[in-house]
Each structure stands twice: as structure tokens, then as C-alpha cells.
Amino acid sequence: MDLFDRASQSKASAREPLAERMRPRTLDEFIGQEHLTGPGHFLRRAMESKQIPSLIFWGPPGTGKTTLARVIAGSTGAAFVALSAVNAGVKDIREIVAKAEERWKLHLQPTILFIDEIHRFNKAQQDALLPHVEKGTITLIGATTENPSFEVISALLSRSRVVTLRPLEEDELITVLHRALSDPRGFDGKAEVREDALQLIARAASGDARRALNALEVAVQHAQGPVTLANAEEALQQKTLLYDKAGEEHYNVVSAFIKSMRGSDPDAAVYWMSRMIEAGEDPLFVLRRMVIFAAEDIGNADPQALGVAVDALQAFELVGLPEGTLPLTQAVTYLAMAPKSNAVLTTYSAARTAVIDSGPLPVPLNLRNAPTPLMKSLGYGSAYKYPHNYEGNYVPEEYLPESLRGRRFYQPSDNGFEAELRKRLEQLLQAKGKPG
């Protein structure tokens, strides 16, 4: 490399986005994913022993999938070859495998093939990887934001280990930002950013280090002097709202959101939901609360409510922001307007109390499984009445342990569909000769 090559390379490096320049080079520089990279954990042990299996990295954007693959290759001395499943095909795989075989023959150097967005490979393309992964010609590291169980063929999954990466915590993102400010590859101590601005960027990044670094770079480039909260807001194209995810206001807003849905006020529920989303709350946190709410506060009064909440969560995972706010809003308004019942919560609470108070009561003989002749001879399952053999597919029978017979845990409300369930339960109890 001559002087002109070095100058050209230096200029090219300076043009790289901050997130690319700050990409960790070693495991010690890597921030986050302590459950994988911390002392004694799987990836660190594998790298220290230089025994790397084929891996599928599954996690949201900006959590370090590509970086970890590069760090692994660097630590083990393996050649690192990267492909994007968006524009690669079987021909590319064959060429890489041929070079990997030659590299091993000439230099005894293993090859790590990193495939970004591996879920975009079709079955034939994934099948093309199998024999080479199986023979060890290449060590595959695939990266995906989608559930590998649905997007990666089972034969490839069985030859790989799925590794789940988590969104970075806010304090981890702040560490990433501080390093970018001080590191020579970043701003080398020449940029000043106020702490509240860093906190906003970290909060708004929702666990995505790349997003946080991109926002920091924009804020520094456009600030006249130290980067302020206003500069950070402009870089993020959003206003700061009074909402501290770790503080009292966080719990106040979440409480207001839940209570508005419980109180059947769709306008207030959508307002509080918007407060959280626009302040940088992770929408999946909101959606998980809604799934819980659908079971806890609606339950069988509207059995569709749980499905609506789960569908909204899956729809958001599919489309992300900003369009994901639409199924989110649809579900919030539905849950707010649905008939309410907390019978699910009170039922489980009552059953749990009975379990704790009574201990492990024996299963009645007629309900026991009898897979062996000995168990049958002991009376296991012998007196069981199969409901489908009776009129209406029902026969009066006792299913609770003897000491709990007559106890009622489920008390359906008179609201929505649960009113129909209440009538049905009363009929069943009358058939048993018990009061409804």
C-alpha cells in the first residue's frame, strides 16, 4: 500500500457513519449481551476455546449481530466472509465454499460465513448451505430479526445454535454514546453533549445502538456549540415529554393508560398510549401490557379481546414504526370498549390459594392415567366417564380432589359473553345437583 492508498483509505474511513467507525473490534469493547459475552457465558467460552459452532443470531436491529460475528472471526483467526441474503444466491454460496476449501488446504484457516437477514433465503438457498455446514467447510453465522423457528429450515436449525440478542438497556446505550464522544474513531473528545441530551437519545433509540449513534452524529453535526436537549430533539425529530422510563412519571402514565382502558374510555386510553410512544417507550412494552389487560380485565366477557391484543403485538413486530401505531391504536380502542370482567384474575387467585392451603392433594383414581397393566389393576382411570359417550357430550362427574369438592373458583360475571357462560355453568351445576 503506497502513500496515496493510505490517504484514500483514511478519507474513506472518515466518511463512514459514526456507527460503522465505532463498531467494536474485540469482545472487551462490546457492550451489552452480558448473558452471552460475560465471563463464563456461552459465547465467551466458545471464543476462548476457539470452538465456534454454527450460530443463528436472533434479535432486533442494532443489538450487535454483525459486530459479534466479526469479533468472533477476529478472535479465532478465521477468515470472515459476509453475504446479504437480500442480493445473494446459490452461485455466491458455491464460490465462497470453493474458496473456503482452498483456504483450508493452503493455510489451514477456517472460514466463517456471515449471512445477514438469513430469513430472506428461500428453502433451496438454505438447503445449499447444509452439506458445507455439516462437513465443517464453513462455520455459518446467520443474523435475523425474525423468529428462526418459522424462517430457517429445520435441518439448518438442527445443525446450528440459536442465540437470542436483547435490546440494549438505556445505561448500556449511554456507555456507547460516551465512548463515541471520547474515542479517536469517534469525536475524540472534541464534541460536548449535555447529559440530558444523551439520556434522550438513549431512551428514544429503544435498545438500538446504531440508531443512537446515528442520532448523536446528526446532533453533533448540527449543533452550534455543546449539544443541548433541543439539538437532540431535532436530531430525533421529536419533542421531549415528561416521561422517565425509570422514574415515577413512567409508572404514573402506565397506570393512567391501564385505568383508562379499564374505565372504558378509548379517548383517554389512546392519549396515554401516545404519550408513551412519542416519549420513546418501547411499543412492545405497551403491547405486552395490553395482552395482560385483555385477560385480566376483559377475559371471557369478550373472548376475542385477547386475540386482538396478540394480533396487534404480532402486527407491530411485522411492520414496526411508524405504521405499527395503527394496529396498536386499533387494539387500544377495542380493549377500552370491550365489556369488562376480572373473573380470570379472581379465579386464578382463588385456585392458587386452595393449592397453597391444601398442598399436593392426590388425584382422584378415576382421573388418573393408566398406561400400564399394574396401574389399571390398581384402579387408575377405571371409573372414568367419557363425556362424549353421553347425551349432550356431558355427564355429571367430580373432578376436584375429594377435600375440595363443592368449591367454586370461577364466578362468571353478568357482562358480555360471560353472561352466557354464567347461564351455562348454572345449568351444569344444576345437573350435578349443586346450587348455581
Coordinates of all heavy atoms in Angstrom, one line a residue, residues 134-226:
E134 N -22.4 -29.1 7.5 CA -22.3 -30.4 8.1 C -20.9 -30.9 8.1 O -20.4 -31.5 9.0 CB -23.2 -31.4 7.4 CG -23.6 -32.6 8.2 CD -24.8 -33.3 7.6 OE1 -24.9 -33.4 6.3 OE2 -25.7 -33.7 8.4
K135 N -20.2 -30.6 7.0 CA -18.8 -31.1 6.8 C -17.8 -30.2 7.5 O -16.6 -30.5 7.8 CB -18.4 -31.1 5.3 CG -19.0 -32.2 4.6 CD -18.9 -32.0 3.0 CE -17.5 -31.8 2.6 NZ -17.4 -31.6 1.2
G136 N -18.3 -29.0 7.9 CA -17.4 -28.0 8.6 C -16.5 -27.2 7.6 O -15.6 -26.5 8.1
T137 N -16.9 -27.2 6.3 CA -16.2 -26.4 5.4 C -16.3 -24.9 5.7 O -15.3 -24.2 5.6 CB -16.7 -26.7 4.0 OG1 -16.7 -28.1 3.7 CG2 -15.9 -25.9 2.9
I138 N -17.5 -24.6 6.2 CA -17.7 -23.2 6.7 C -18.4 -23.3 8.0 O -19.1 -24.3 8.3 CB -18.6 -22.4 5.7 CG1 -20.0 -23.1 5.5 CG2 -17.9 -22.1 4.4 CD1 -21.0 -22.3 4.8
T139 N -18.2 -22.3 8.8 CA -19.0 -22.1 10.0 C -20.0 -21.0 9.7 O -19.6 -19.9 9.4 CB -18.1 -21.7 11.2 OG1 -17.2 -22.7 11.5 CG2 -18.9 -21.4 12.5
L140 N -21.2 -21.3 9.8 CA -22.3 -20.4 9.4 C -22.6 -19.5 10.6 O -22.9 -20.1 11.7 CB -23.5 -21.1 8.9 CG -24.8 -20.3 8.7 CD1 -24.5 -19.3 7.5 CD2 -26.0 -21.2 8.5
I141 N -22.7 -18.2 10.4 CA -23.4 -17.4 11.4 C -24.4 -16.6 10.6 O -24.1 -15.8 9.8 CB -22.4 -16.4 12.1 CG1 -21.3 -17.2 12.8 CG2 -23.1 -15.5 13.0 CD1 -20.3 -16.3 13.5
G142 N -25.7 -16.9 10.9 CA -26.8 -16.2 10.3 C -27.3 -15.1 11.2 O -27.3 -15.3 12.5
A143 N -27.8 -14.0 10.7 CA -28.4 -13.0 11.5 C -29.9 -12.8 11.0 O -30.1 -12.7 9.8 CB -27.6 -11.7 11.4
T144 N -30.8 -12.7 12.0 CA -32.2 -12.4 11.6 C -32.9 -11.7 12.7 O -32.6 -11.8 13.9 CB -32.9 -13.8 11.3 OG1 -34.3 -13.6 11.0 CG2 -32.8 -14.7 12.6
T145 N -33.9 -10.9 12.2 CA -34.8 -10.2 13.2 C -36.1 -11.0 13.3 O -36.9 -10.6 14.1 CB -35.1 -8.8 12.7 OG1 -35.6 -8.9 11.3 CG2 -33.9 -7.9 12.6
E146 N -36.2 -12.0 12.5 CA -37.4 -12.9 12.5 C -37.2 -14.1 13.3 O -36.1 -14.6 13.5 CB -37.9 -13.2 11.1 CG -38.0 -12.0 10.2 CD -39.1 -11.1 10.6 OE1 -40.1 -11.5 11.1 OE2 -38.9 -9.8 10.4
N147 N -38.3 -14.7 13.8 CA -38.2 -15.9 14.6 C -37.6 -17.1 13.7 O -38.3 -17.5 12.8 CB -39.6 -16.3 15.1 CG -39.5 -17.5 16.1 OD1 -38.7 -18.3 16.1 ND2 -40.5 -17.5 17.0
P148 N -36.4 -17.6 14.1 CA -35.8 -18.6 13.3 C -36.7 -19.9 13.2 O -36.6 -20.6 12.2 CB -34.5 -18.9 14.0 CG -34.3 -17.8 14.9 CD -35.6 -17.3 15.3
S149 N -37.5 -20.1 14.1 CA -38.4 -21.3 14.1 C -39.3 -21.4 12.9 O -39.6 -22.4 12.4 CB -39.2 -21.4 15.4 OG -38.4 -21.5 16.5
F150 N -39.6 -20.2 12.4 CA -40.5 -20.1 11.3 C -39.8 -19.7 10.0 O -40.3 -20.0 8.9 CB -41.6 -19.0 11.5 CG -42.4 -19.2 12.8 CD1 -42.4 -18.2 13.8 CD2 -43.1 -20.3 12.9 CE1 -43.1 -18.4 14.9 CE2 -43.9 -20.6 14.1 CZ -43.9 -19.6 15.1
E151 N -38.6 -19.2 10.0 CA -37.9 -18.6 8.9 C -36.7 -19.4 8.4 O -36.2 -19.2 7.3 CB -37.5 -17.2 9.1 CG -38.7 -16.3 9.5 CD -39.7 -16.1 8.5 OE1 -39.4 -16.4 7.3 OE2 -40.8 -15.7 8.8
V152 N -36.2 -20.3 9.3 CA -35.0 -21.1 9.0 C -35.4 -22.5 9.0 O -36.1 -23.0 9.9 CB -33.8 -20.8 10.0 CG1 -32.6 -21.7 9.7 CG2 -33.5 -19.4 10.0
I153 N -35.0 -23.3 7.9 CA -35.4 -24.7 7.8 C -34.9 -25.5 8.9 O -33.8 -25.2 9.5 CB -34.9 -25.3 6.4 CG1 -33.4 -25.2 6.3 CG2 -35.6 -24.5 5.3 CD1 -32.9 -26.0 5.1
S154 N -35.6 -26.5 9.3 CA -35.3 -27.3 10.5 C -34.0 -28.0 10.4 O -33.3 -28.1 11.4 CB -36.5 -28.3 10.8 OG -36.6 -29.2 9.6
A155 N -33.6 -28.4 9.2 CA -32.3 -29.1 9.0 C -31.2 -28.2 9.4 O -30.2 -28.6 10.0 CB -32.2 -29.7 7.6
L156 N -31.3 -26.9 9.0 CA -30.2 -26.0 9.3 C -30.2 -25.6 10.8 O -29.2 -25.4 11.4 CB -30.4 -24.7 8.4 CG -29.2 -23.8 8.2 CD1 -28.0 -24.6 7.7 CD2 -29.5 -22.7 7.3
L157 N -31.4 -25.5 11.3 CA -31.6 -25.2 12.8 C -30.9 -26.3 13.6 O -30.3 -26.0 14.6 CB -33.0 -25.0 13.2 CG -33.7 -23.7 12.8 CD1 -35.2 -23.7 13.3 CD2 -33.0 -22.5 13.5
S158 N -31.1 -27.5 13.2 CA -30.6 -28.7 14.0 C -29.1 -28.7 13.9 O -28.5 -29.3 14.8 CB -31.2 -30.0 13.5 OG -30.6 -30.3 12.2
R159 N -28.5 -28.0 13.0 CA -27.0 -28.0 12.8 C -26.4 -26.7 13.4 O -25.2 -26.5 13.2 CB -26.6 -28.2 11.4 CG -26.9 -29.6 10.9 CD -26.9 -29.7 9.4 NE -27.1 -31.1 8.9 CZ -28.3 -31.7 8.9 NH1 -29.4 -31.1 9.3 NH2 -28.4 -33.0 8.4
S160 N -27.3 -25.9 13.9 CA -26.8 -24.6 14.4 C -27.3 -24.4 15.8 O -28.2 -25.1 16.3 CB -27.3 -23.4 13.5 OG -27.1 -23.7 12.2
R161 N -26.8 -23.4 16.5 CA -27.3 -23.0 17.8 C -27.9 -21.6 17.7 O -27.3 -20.7 17.2 CB -26.2 -23.0 18.8 CG -26.6 -22.4 20.2 CD -25.7 -22.9 21.3 NE -26.2 -22.3 22.6 CZ -25.7 -22.6 23.7 NH1 -24.8 -23.6 23.8 NH2 -26.1 -22.0 24.9
V162 N -29.2 -21.5 18.1 CA -29.9 -20.2 18.0 C -29.5 -19.4 19.3 O -29.6 -19.9 20.4 CB -31.4 -20.4 18.0 CG1 -32.1 -19.0 18.0 CG2 -31.8 -21.1 16.7
V163 N -29.0 -18.2 19.0 CA -28.6 -17.3 20.1 C -29.4 -16.0 20.1 O -29.5 -15.3 19.0 CB -27.1 -16.9 19.9 CG1 -26.6 -15.9 21.0 CG2 -26.2 -18.1 20.0
T164 N -30.1 -15.7 21.2 CA -31.0 -14.6 21.2 C -30.3 -13.4 21.8 O -29.7 -13.4 22.9 CB -32.2 -14.9 22.1 OG1 -32.9 -16.1 21.6 CG2 -33.2 -13.8 22.1
L165 N -30.4 -12.3 21.0 CA -29.8 -11.0 21.4 C -30.9 -10.1 21.9 O -32.0 -10.0 21.3 CB -29.0 -10.3 20.3 CG -27.6 -10.9 20.1 CD1 -27.6 -12.2 19.4 CD2 -26.8 -9.9 19.2
R166 N -30.7 -9.3 23.0 CA -31.7 -8.5 23.6 C -31.4 -7.0 23.2 O -30.3 -6.6 23.0 CB -31.6 -8.6 25.1 CG -31.8 -10.0 25.6 CD -31.4 -10.1 27.1 NE -31.5 -11.5 27.6 CZ -31.0 -11.9 28.7 NH1 -30.3 -11.0 29.5 NH2 -31.2 -13.1 29.1
P167 N -32.5 -6.2 23.2 CA -32.3 -4.8 23.0 C -31.4 -4.2 24.1 O -31.4 -4.7 25.3 CB -33.7 -4.2 23.1 CG -34.6 -5.3 22.8 CD -33.9 -6.5 23.3
L168 N -30.5 -3.3 23.8 CA -29.6 -2.7 24.8 C -30.4 -1.9 25.8 O -31.4 -1.2 25.5 CB -28.5 -1.9 24.2 CG -27.3 -2.6 23.7 CD1 -27.6 -3.6 22.5 CD2 -26.2 -1.6 23.3
E169 N -30.0 -2.0 27.1 CA -30.6 -1.1 28.1 C -30.1 0.3 27.9 O -29.1 0.6 27.3 CB -30.1 -1.6 29.5 CG -30.5 -3.1 29.8 CD -32.0 -3.2 29.9 OE1 -32.7 -2.2 30.2 OE2 -32.5 -4.4 29.8
E170 N -30.9 1.2 28.5 CA -30.5 2.7 28.4 C -29.1 3.0 28.9 O -28.4 3.7 28.3 CB -31.6 3.5 29.1 CG -32.8 3.7 28.3 CD -33.8 4.7 29.0 OE1 -33.3 5.6 29.7 OE2 -35.0 4.6 28.8
D171 N -28.7 2.4 30.0 CA -27.4 2.7 30.6 C -26.3 2.1 29.7 O -25.2 2.7 29.5 CB -27.3 2.1 32.0 CG -27.5 0.6 32.1 OD1 -28.1 0.1 31.2 OD2 -27.0 0.0 33.0
E172 N -26.6 1.0 29.0 CA -25.6 0.5 28.0 C -25.5 1.4 26.8 O -24.4 1.6 26.3 CB -26.0 -0.9 27.6 CG -26.0 -1.9 28.7 CD -26.6 -3.3 28.4 OE1 -27.5 -3.3 27.5 OE2 -26.2 -4.3 29.0
L173 N -26.6 2.0 26.4 CA -26.6 2.9 25.2 C -25.8 4.2 25.6 O -25.1 4.7 24.8 CB -28.0 3.2 24.8 CG -28.7 2.1 24.0 CD1 -30.2 2.4 23.8 CD2 -28.0 1.8 22.7
I174 N -26.0 4.6 26.8 CA -25.3 5.8 27.2 C -23.8 5.6 27.3 O -23.0 6.4 26.9 CB -25.8 6.3 28.6 CG1 -27.2 6.9 28.4 CG2 -24.9 7.3 29.2 CD1 -27.9 7.3 29.7
T175 N -23.4 4.4 27.7 CA -22.0 4.0 27.6 C -21.5 4.0 26.2 O -20.4 4.5 25.9 CB -21.8 2.6 28.3 OG1 -22.2 2.6 29.6 CG2 -20.3 2.2 28.2
V176 N -22.3 3.5 25.3 CA -21.9 3.5 23.9 C -21.7 4.9 23.4 O -20.7 5.3 22.7 CB -23.0 2.8 23.0 CG1 -22.8 3.0 21.5 CG2 -23.0 1.3 23.3
L177 N -22.6 5.8 23.8 CA -22.5 7.2 23.3 C -21.3 7.9 23.9 O -20.6 8.7 23.3 CB -23.8 8.0 23.7 CG -25.1 7.4 23.0 CD1 -26.3 8.1 23.6 CD2 -25.0 7.6 21.5
H178 N -21.0 7.7 25.2 CA -19.9 8.3 25.9 C -18.6 7.8 25.2 O -17.7 8.6 25.0 CB -19.8 7.9 27.3 CG -20.7 8.8 28.2 ND1 -20.4 10.2 28.3 CD2 -21.7 8.6 29.0 CE1 -21.3 10.7 29.2 NE2 -22.1 9.8 29.6
R179 N -18.5 6.6 24.8 CA -17.3 6.1 24.1 C -17.2 6.7 22.8 O -16.0 7.1 22.4 CB -17.4 4.5 24.0 CG -16.3 3.9 23.2 CD -16.4 2.4 23.1 NE -16.2 1.8 24.4 CZ -16.3 0.5 24.6 NH1 -16.7 -0.3 23.6 NH2 -16.2 0.0 25.8
A180 N -18.3 6.9 22.1 CA -18.2 7.6 20.8 C -17.7 9.0 20.9 O -17.0 9.5 20.0 CB -19.5 7.6 20.1
L181 N -18.0 9.7 22.0 CA -17.5 11.1 22.2 C -16.1 11.1 22.5 O -15.4 12.1 22.1 CB -18.3 11.7 23.3 CG -19.8 12.0 23.0 CD1 -20.5 12.4 24.3 CD2 -19.9 13.1 22.0
S182 N -15.5 10.1 23.2 CA -14.1 10.2 23.6 C -13.2 9.4 22.7 O -12.0 9.8 22.6 CB -14.0 9.6 25.0 OG -14.4 8.3 25.1
D183 N -13.6 8.4 22.0 CA -12.8 7.6 21.2 C -12.2 8.3 20.0 O -13.0 9.0 19.3 CB -13.5 6.3 20.8 CG -12.6 5.2 20.3 OD1 -12.1 5.4 19.2 OD2 -12.5 4.2 20.9
P184 N -10.9 8.1 19.6 CA -10.4 8.7 18.4 C -11.1 8.4 17.1 O -11.1 9.1 16.2 CB -8.9 8.2 18.4 CG -8.6 7.8 19.8 CD -9.9 7.4 20.4
R185 N -11.8 7.2 17.1 CA -12.5 6.8 15.9 C -13.8 7.6 15.9 O -14.5 7.7 14.8 CB -12.9 5.3 16.0 CG -11.6 4.4 15.8 CD -12.0 3.0 16.0 NE -12.5 2.7 17.3 CZ -13.3 1.6 17.7 NH1 -13.6 0.8 16.7 NH2 -13.7 1.5 18.9
G186 N -14.2 8.2 17.0 CA -15.5 8.9 17.1 C -15.2 10.4 17.0 O -14.6 10.9 16.1
F187 N -15.5 11.1 18.1 CA -15.3 12.6 18.1 C -14.1 13.0 18.9 O -13.7 14.1 19.0 CB -16.6 13.2 18.8 CG -17.8 13.1 17.9 CD1 -18.8 12.2 18.3 CD2 -17.9 13.8 16.7 CE1 -20.0 12.1 17.6 CE2 -19.1 13.6 16.0 CZ -20.1 12.8 16.4
D188 N -13.3 12.0 19.4 CA -12.0 12.2 20.0 C -12.0 13.3 21.1 O -11.1 14.1 21.1 CB -11.0 12.5 18.9 CG -9.6 12.3 19.3 OD1 -9.4 11.7 20.4 OD2 -8.7 12.9 18.7
G189 N -13.1 13.4 21.8 CA -13.2 14.4 22.9 C -13.4 15.9 22.4 O -13.3 16.8 23.2
K190 N -13.7 16.0 21.1 CA -13.9 17.4 20.5 C -15.3 17.8 20.5 O -15.6 18.9 20.0 CB -13.3 17.4 19.1 CG -11.8 17.1 19.1 CD -11.2 17.0 17.7 CE -9.7 16.6 17.7 NZ -9.2 16.3 16.4
A191 N -16.2 17.0 20.9 CA -17.7 17.4 20.9 C -18.2 17.3 22.4 O -17.8 16.4 23.1 CB -18.5 16.4 20.0
E192 N -19.0 18.2 22.7 CA -19.6 18.3 24.1 C -21.1 18.1 24.0 O -21.8 18.7 23.2 CB -19.3 19.6 24.8 CG -19.8 19.7 26.2 CD -19.6 21.0 26.9 OE1 -18.8 21.8 26.3 OE2 -20.2 21.3 27.9
V193 N -21.6 17.1 24.7 CA -23.0 16.8 24.7 C -23.5 16.8 26.1 O -22.9 16.1 27.0 CB -23.3 15.4 24.0 CG1 -24.8 15.2 24.0 CG2 -22.7 15.4 22.6
R194 N -24.6 17.5 26.4 CA -25.1 17.5 27.8 C -25.8 16.2 28.1 O -26.3 15.5 27.2 CB -26.1 18.7 27.9 CG -25.4 20.0 27.8 CD -26.3 21.2 27.9 NE -25.5 22.5 27.8 CZ -26.1 23.7 27.6 NH1 -27.4 23.8 27.5 NH2 -25.3 24.7 27.6
E195 N -25.7 15.9 29.4 CA -26.2 14.6 29.8 C -27.6 14.3 29.5 O -28.0 13.2 29.2 CB -25.9 14.4 31.3 CG -25.8 12.9 31.8 CD -24.7 12.1 31.1 OE1 -23.7 12.7 30.7 OE2 -25.0 10.9 31.0
D196 N -28.5 15.4 29.7 CA -29.9 15.1 29.4 C -30.1 14.9 27.9 O -31.1 14.1 27.6 CB -30.7 16.3 29.9 CG -30.3 17.7 29.3 OD1 -29.3 17.7 28.6 OD2 -31.0 18.7 29.5
A197 N -29.3 15.4 27.1 CA -29.4 15.1 25.6 C -29.0 13.7 25.4 O -29.7 13.0 24.6 CB -28.5 16.1 24.8
L198 N -28.0 13.2 26.0 CA -27.6 11.8 25.8 C -28.7 10.8 26.4 O -29.0 9.8 25.7 CB -26.3 11.5 26.6 CG -25.0 12.1 26.0 CD1 -23.8 11.7 27.0 CD2 -24.7 11.6 24.6
Q199 N -29.3 11.2 27.5 CA -30.4 10.4 28.0 C -31.5 10.3 27.1 O -32.1 9.2 26.9 CB -30.8 10.9 29.4 CG -29.7 10.7 30.5 CD -30.0 11.4 31.8 OE1 -31.0 12.2 31.8 NE2 -29.2 11.2 32.8
L200 N -31.9 11.4 26.4 CA -33.0 11.4 25.5 C -32.7 10.5 24.3 O -33.5 9.7 23.9 CB -33.3 12.9 25.0 CG -34.3 12.9 23.9 CD1 -35.6 12.4 24.3 CD2 -34.4 14.4 23.3
I201 N -31.5 10.7 23.8 CA -31.1 9.8 22.6 C -31.1 8.4 23.0 O -31.6 7.5 22.2 CB -29.7 10.2 22.1 CG1 -29.7 11.6 21.5 CG2 -29.1 9.2 21.1 CD1 -28.3 12.2 21.2
A202 N -30.6 8.0 24.1 CA -30.6 6.6 24.6 C -32.0 6.1 24.8 O -32.3 5.0 24.4 CB -29.8 6.5 25.9
R203 N -32.9 6.9 25.3 CA -34.3 6.5 25.5 C -35.0 6.3 24.2 O -35.7 5.3 24.0 CB -35.0 7.5 26.4 CG -36.4 7.1 26.8 CD -36.9 7.9 27.9 NE -37.1 9.3 27.6 CZ -36.5 10.3 28.0 NH1 -35.5 10.1 29.0 NH2 -36.7 11.6 27.7
A204 N -34.8 7.3 23.3 CA -35.5 7.2 22.0 C -35.0 6.1 21.1 O -35.7 5.7 20.2 CB -35.4 8.5 21.3
A205 N -33.8 5.6 21.4 CA -33.2 4.6 20.5 C -33.9 3.2 20.7 O -33.7 2.3 19.9 CB -31.7 4.5 20.7
S206 N -34.6 3.0 21.8 CA -35.3 1.8 22.1 C -34.4 0.6 21.9 O -34.8 -0.4 21.3 CB -36.5 1.7 21.1 OG -37.4 2.7 21.3
G207 N -33.2 0.6 22.5 CA -32.3 -0.6 22.5 C -31.5 -0.7 21.3 O -30.7 -1.7 21.2
D208 N -31.5 0.2 20.3 CA -30.8 0.1 19.1 C -29.6 1.0 19.1 O -29.7 2.2 19.0 CB -31.8 0.5 17.9 CG -31.2 0.3 16.6 OD1 -29.9 0.4 16.4 OD2 -31.9 0.1 15.6
A209 N -28.4 0.4 19.2 CA -27.1 1.1 19.3 C -26.9 1.9 18.0 O -26.4 3.1 18.1 CB -26.0 0.2 19.6
R210 N -27.2 1.3 16.9 CA -26.9 2.1 15.6 C -27.8 3.3 15.5 O -27.3 4.4 15.1 CB -27.2 1.1 14.4 CG -26.9 1.7 13.1 CD -27.3 0.8 11.9 NE -26.7 -0.5 12.0 CZ -27.3 -1.6 12.3 NH1 -28.6 -1.5 12.6 NH2 -26.7 -2.7 12.4
R211 N -29.0 3.2 16.0 CA -29.9 4.3 15.9 C -29.5 5.4 16.9 O -29.5 6.6 16.5 CB -31.3 3.9 16.3 CG -32.4 4.9 16.3 CD -33.8 4.3 16.6 NE -34.8 5.4 16.7 CZ -36.0 5.2 17.2 NH1 -36.3 4.0 17.6 NH2 -36.9 6.1 17.2
A212 N -29.0 5.0 18.0 CA -28.5 6.0 19.0 C -27.2 6.7 18.4 O -27.1 8.0 18.6 CB -28.1 5.3 20.3
L213 N -26.3 6.0 17.8 CA -25.1 6.6 17.3 C -25.4 7.5 16.1 O -24.8 8.6 15.9 CB -24.1 5.6 16.9 CG -23.4 4.8 18.1 CD1 -22.7 3.6 17.6 CD2 -22.5 5.8 18.8
N214 N -26.4 7.1 15.3 CA -26.8 8.0 14.1 C -27.4 9.3 14.6 O -27.1 10.4 14.1 CB -27.8 7.2 13.3 CG -27.2 6.1 12.5 OD1 -25.9 6.0 12.3 ND2 -28.0 5.2 12.0
A215 N -28.2 9.2 15.7 CA -28.8 10.4 16.2 C -27.7 11.3 16.8 O -27.8 12.6 16.7 CB -29.9 10.1 17.3
L216 N -26.8 10.7 17.6 CA -25.7 11.5 18.1 C -24.9 12.2 17.1 O -24.6 13.4 17.2 CB -24.8 10.6 19.0 CG -23.5 11.3 19.6 CD1 -23.9 12.3 20.6 CD2 -22.6 10.2 20.2
E217 N -24.6 11.5 16.0 CA -23.8 12.1 14.9 C -24.5 13.3 14.3 O -23.9 14.4 14.1 CB -23.5 11.1 13.8 CG -22.6 11.5 12.7 CD -22.2 10.4 11.8 OE1 -22.9 9.4 11.7 OE2 -21.0 10.5 11.3
V218 N -25.8 13.2 14.0 CA -26.6 14.3 13.5 C -26.7 15.4 14.4 O -26.5 16.6 14.0 CB -28.1 13.8 13.1 CG1 -28.9 15.0 12.8 CG2 -28.0 12.8 12.0
A219 N -26.9 15.2 15.7 CA -27.0 16.2 16.7 C -25.7 17.0 16.8 O -25.7 18.3 16.9 CB -27.3 15.6 18.1
V220 N -24.5 16.3 16.8 CA -23.2 17.0 16.9 C -23.0 17.8 15.7 O -22.5 19.0 15.7 CB -22.1 16.0 17.1 CG1 -20.7 16.6 17.0 CG2 -22.2 15.3 18.5
Q221 N -23.3 17.3 14.5 CA -23.0 18.0 13.2 C -23.8 19.3 13.1 O -23.4 20.2 12.5 CB -23.4 17.1 12.1 CG -22.3 15.9 11.9 CD -22.8 14.9 10.8 OE1 -24.0 14.9 10.4 NE2 -21.9 14.1 10.4
H222 N -25.0 19.3 13.7 CA -25.9 20.5 13.5 C -25.9 21.4 14.7 O -26.5 22.5 14.6 CB -27.3 20.0 13.2 CG -27.4 19.4 11.9 ND1 -27.2 18.0 11.6 CD2 -27.8 19.9 10.7 CE1 -27.4 17.8 10.4 NE2 -27.7 18.9 9.7
A223 N -25.2 21.0 15.8 CA -25.2 21.9 17.0 C -24.2 23.0 16.8 O -23.1 22.8 16.3 CB -24.9 21.1 18.2
Q224 N -24.6 24.2 17.3 CA -23.6 25.3 17.4 C -23.1 25.4 18.8 O -23.7 26.0 19.7 CB -24.4 26.6 17.0 CG -25.0 26.6 15.6 CD -24.0 26.5 14.5 OE1 -22.9 27.1 14.6 NE2 -24.3 25.8 13.5
G225 N -22.0 24.6 19.1 CA -21.5 24.5 20.4 C -22.0 23.2 21.1 O -22.3 22.3 20.4
P226 N -22.1 23.2 22.4 CA -22.5 22.0 23.1 C -23.8 21.5 22.6 O -24.8 22.3 22.4 CB -22.5 22.4 24.6 CG -21.6 23.5 24.7 CD -21.7 24.3 23.4

